[in-house]
Amino acid sequence: MRVRFLCVLALASQALTAAPLKSAPIVVGEGPQPVAVKKLIFLDFYNEANDKNLQYIANSIGDAVHEAIKSKYRYDRIASALWKKYTAENKWQPRDFYDQKKIREMGKALGADGVIYGKYNTVEQRLELHGIIFSVIDGEVVEEQHASAPLSAEMFEKINEVSDNLAKKIKDLFVPSDRGALTRSLLFPGWGHYYKQRNGWGNFWAISGGTAIAFTATMGTMFVVMKNQYDTYNPQHYRNTSGGTGLYDANAAQAEFDRLEASANQFGQLALIGGAVTAGIWLGAMLHAYFIEPDMGNAAPPKQAQASPLQWQLGADHSTQPGMRCAISYTEKF
């Protein structure tokens, strides 16, 4: 659907007719937006049994996951020297490499978006393995894999299987989830769209929601003010010799009561309408954030971001009519 509005500003100057504008039209809209590259930490797995013969497994799983995804996603691997320096400075114990709270603190300190970590142990001549993909931003486990295999050649197959499964699920760190977008939009319209890196729609819903809230708050405040004026209005009155009370101008007093009542009712109705519109915007933003496709820049080669649906141009065209022309267009894909 494309709606195009054209407005012509006629200029009285004949000079413009003789010498029309030659400059290119000015186009205002969203240009390409750079996609923030994710940062990941591939932590050594915790050797719970402290078995030196199996120490090589500690970093082999993280390395395998990295090799499986490095050609599929755009991310920076935080060097092991950095997180090892952090763990040394904070005096981590071996078990801390499986402590989710400490891992998240480290991730925040090093600016990581996600951490791949886990642990392994030997129980009754079997290797027990647990691998985890953890989102530092959300503080949630994105995926976890469990495996068990005898201490034989079969365990290498299980290690590769865990690595492959973690690599397949790691996309959830790069592709914003629908549930995450819905939750954020519940808190404020537009936030879920920013989470999905759809900034154009995020601006639209945030401005719409903010405007609706401001309007509703203003109308509600005016309703309270007018109602208070109605309740406290005290027209001029007098007391006669017999103790009775009368109004100097009953008609004027009644008119003022009616005016205050009408104003309070009007602002009250506008506040209710604003509240309904705000609720509609909130619900619309939540549903739209849930169903809209996220920006896949981290999961695909760099691409040009979609232009804003609203565009406007100011400049000259090929019309024979004198003057400057302004064109506004809106395009929505279905």
Side-chain angles (χ1 to χ4, degrees):
M1 179 180 66
R2 182 178 179 87
V3 182
R4 183 177 181 86
F5 302 94
L6 184 62
C7 61
V8 180
L9 304 176
L11 302 179
S13 174
Q14 295 299 322
L16 288 177
T17 305
L21 294 174
K22 298 296 184 181
S23 61
I26 301 172
V27 180
V28 177
E30 276 192 358
Q33 298 292 327
V35 178
V37 177
K38 301 288 187 181
K39 294 183 178 181
L40 303 183
I41 295 176
F42 295 84
L43 205 60
D44 284 353
F45 275 45
Y46 169 39
N47 185 355
E48 191 173 24
N50 196 25
D51 189 338
K52 294 182 179 180
N53 294 325
L54 298 177
Q55 185 60 34
Y56 66 91
I57 298 177
N59 57 12
S60 61
I61 298 177
D63 290 340
V65 174
H66 169 64
E67 289 298 324
I69 69 172
K70 67 180 183 180
S71 62
K72 299 178 182 179
Y73 300 98
R74 299 172 63 243
Y75 67 93
D76 289 334
R77 179 178 184 177
I78 294 180
S80 59
L82 291 179
W83 58 258
K84 286 181 179 179
K85 179 182 178 182
Y86 176 91
T87 58
E89 290 176 348
N90 289 271
K91 300 179 180 179
W92 275 26
Q93 300 298 317
R95 63 177 178 274
D96 294 335
F97 284 78
Y98 192 71
D99 188 322
Q100 193 173 104
K101 181 179 179 180
K102 290 190 175 183
I103 289 175
R104 190 182 189 193
E105 291 174 354
M106 177 191 65
K108 289 182 177 180
L110 299 181
D113 297 279
V115 181
I116 292 82
Y117 73 99
K119 70 174 182 177
Y120 58 95
N121 200 351
T122 53
V123 179
E124 296 179 354
Q125 297 301 308
R126 293 185 67 85
L127 176 69
E128 302 291 336
L129 188 62
H130 185 203
I132 297 173
I133 301 174
F134 181 70
S135 172
V136 176
I137 298 175
D138 298 324
E140 297 177 352
V141 172
V142 173
E143 176 64 18
E144 53 185 331
Q145 289 288 323
H146 294 271
S148 177
L151 294 177
S152 63
E154 184 180 342
M155 75 176 184
F156 296 105
E157 297 180 5
K158 286 297 180 180
I159 293 174
N160 291 331
E161 180 181 326
V162 169
S163 301
D164 291 342
N165 289 336
L166 288 175
K168 292 176 183 178
K169 292 295 185 178
I170 207 169
K171 69 179 180 64
D172 292 334
L173 275 178
F174 297 93
V175 180
S177 68
D178 295 332
R179 187 183 67 177
L182 181 67
T183 303
R184 287 164 174 79
S185 291
L186 176 63
L187 299 177
F188 194 84
W191 190 10
H193 296 82
Y194 291 129
Y195 169 68
K196 284 190 171 181
Q197 298 182 9
R198 300 298 296 269
N199 294 342
W201 280 111
N203 293 336
F204 170 77
W205 286 111
I207 293 173
S208 300
T211 302
I213 292 173
F215 175 82
T216 304
T218 301
M219 294 303 102
T221 301
M222 291 302 300
F223 168 74
V224 173
V225 170
M226 298 308 297
K227 186 176 184 302
N228 183 64
Q229 290 183 7
Y230 177 85
D231 293 337
T232 59
Y233 176 60
N234 187 18
Q236 289 185 329
H237 59 279
Y238 61 89
R239 188 177 299 276
N240 57 28
T241 56
S242 60
T245 302
L247 299 175
Y248 284 108
D249 192 338
N251 292 332
Q254 185 61 51
E256 182 63 11
F257 272 118
D258 292 341
R259 184 189 71 82
L260 294 174
E261 182 181 20
S263 296
N265 290 336
Q266 181 182 21
F267 285 120
Q269 291 175 356
L270 290 174
L272 290 176
I273 293 173
V277 171
T278 301
I281 291 174
W282 227 276
L283 180 60
M286 290 171 58
L287 294 175
H288 192 245
Y290 182 84
F291 289 107
I292 194 173
E293 291 295 326
D295 188 298
M296 300 289 287
N298 278 304
K303 62 181 180 179
Q304 293 290 331
Q306 294 182 351
S308 170
L310 180 64
Q311 301 282 336
W312 69 273
Q313 297 181 355
L314 178 63
D317 58 13
H318 298 289
S319 175
T320 58
Q321 298 180 3
M324 182 177 293
R325 308 180 80 84
C326 171
I328 301 176
S329 64
Y330 179 83
T331 303
E332 177 65 36
K333 295 182 179 179
F334 292 95

